[in-house]
Amino acid sequence: MTSNNAKTYQNYINGSFEAARELIDVRNPANGEILSRVPESSPEDVESALQAARRAQKDWARRPAVERAAYLHRLAEKIRQEAKLLAHTITAEQGKTSALAETEVNFTADYLDYMAEWARRIEGEIIESDRRKESIFLYRKPLGVIAGILPWNFPFFLIARKMAPALVTGNTIVIKPSEETPNNCFEFARLLDQTGLPPGVFNVVSGGGVSTGSALTESSLVDMISFTGSVATGSSIMRNAANNITKVNLELGGKAPAIVLNDADIDLAVNSIRASRIINTGQVCNCAERVYVQRQVAEEFSAKIAQAMSTTTYGDPLAQPDVEMGPLINQKGLDKVAQMVQTAIQDGADLLTGGQVADLGAGFHYQPTVLANCRSDMSIMRDEIFGPVLPIQIIDDLDEAISLANESDYGLTSSIYTQSLEKAMHACRELDFGETYINRENFEAMQGFHAGTRKSGIGGADGKHGLYEYTRTQVAYIQT
Ligand code: NAD
């Protein structure tokens, strides 16, 4: 199905929109409609964007940080003015609800303002010397040219999460959006272009991972690859980066454990875990992917969450604006979720609700699903599901839960529900994760630091520590 409104987008290179030779279709995952055609960028397109970023970088870095930050503030204002249109673009290509898309757009504007405000707070150090009449200055300098490679689940916000700290610290950037959700990125570029940003500071090349993505990660013109996506892609990017000893910043997958103890407020746990499992149709790196519930409250918790999940409404979020959940991103994602649930049931899990592909005539919809009596050897408790499916395992005490939670390839986020400060603090000490939420689920704050241990990534984003990921140091020894 092709919409008459299908747009053709162009790459944004060196401050202008440039036609590409080859185009790919972008579809609405809720109904299969073709929304747009976007460049399948060639290695030459990528090279041209990187060269533009390289040419622009020195002059950009020489400007005062407040001058660089002013462009981010201007962009934030434009994003707020066009919030409805941007949210519609995101919902159409990604399938999240309009309410969540609007939240993403407004959060992005706030994030740009927040990062811009760091302009007057970027600080070096003065270090005591061993020598007489010597001063040691530690400067923070930009890395140079950043390659930002994005996933599709929060496509608009993730542009800002990479470009805002990059630009305010004096770097230039080339963004490759996911081939599933490039439209919002071109709209972002359109607005940024209206701010009068100097050519080459921000560039967009769309295209597939292996074709366009590899051309970025193989290039010696890149000083850091900032990637958000799957572990498999992260690993392949590291291999390419190794050839040029390019720095990597990797935000990868998650398998967040939620621990529910006997003394928890069960209704609070049910409401927040359910919300985290259906938001963005379960396609969030930091939402509860597995529950460890203590035996005494297991039956109550399981019954209540199964009931709550079964009432979740879903469908095409543009046609039915009130639904709580849209489709999964594509057929591959739907097949993966369906297969994982089937395997879990074959392996002995009890299906409490859902468990089927939802036949709505079109789109990649899956029923909200709860699986009880899962075991730690099951793939559903070990591998990222990325869908509205909640597997539950019974545990006898907190230490068992902590040790099962830590026995994972992933170490992004974790949560615990308890009324006991002592147990909460014990969990914070013992859980080997980048983030731990007490009596709540995601999301993280922009002033925090979003980072994972184990295969969930290297480095992180947000806050002061996220800002400094985009800098290197230079130490000057000054004899006078
Ligand atoms: P993905 O790894 O399939 O793709 C991400 C991006 O990488 C896309 O732009 C893709 O085109 C590109 N890519 C693919 N192969 C490449 C290659 N060989 N070289 C260079 N680029 C390549 O991930 P996805 O399906 O888009 O996103 C879902 C994943 O992202 C999940 O695992 C999720 O947990 C993770 N994620 C993590 C965070 C976080 O902050 N840790 C946030 C959002 C999503």
Side-chain angles (χ1 to χ4, degrees), residues 305-325:
I305 203 155
Q307 164 63 21
M309 285 286 276
S310 71
T311 62
T312 305
T313 55
Y314 52 88
D316 176 347
L318 287 183
Q320 301 159 268
D322 291 337
V323 290
E324 293 173 281
M325 231 173 53

Side-chain angles (χ1 to χ4, degrees), residues 67 113 133 223 470:
E67 197 180 311
D113 280 337
K133 294 168 67 186
D223 296 294
Y470 288 82

Side-chain angles (χ1 to χ4, degrees), residues 3 5-7 26-28 33-37 92-93 183:
S3 157
N5 301 324
K7 279 189 177 180
V26 179
R27 289 173 188 270
N28 181 333
E33 180 191 353
I34 296 177
L35 298 166
S36 67
R37 296 199 168 78
E93 62 185 329
N183 297 350

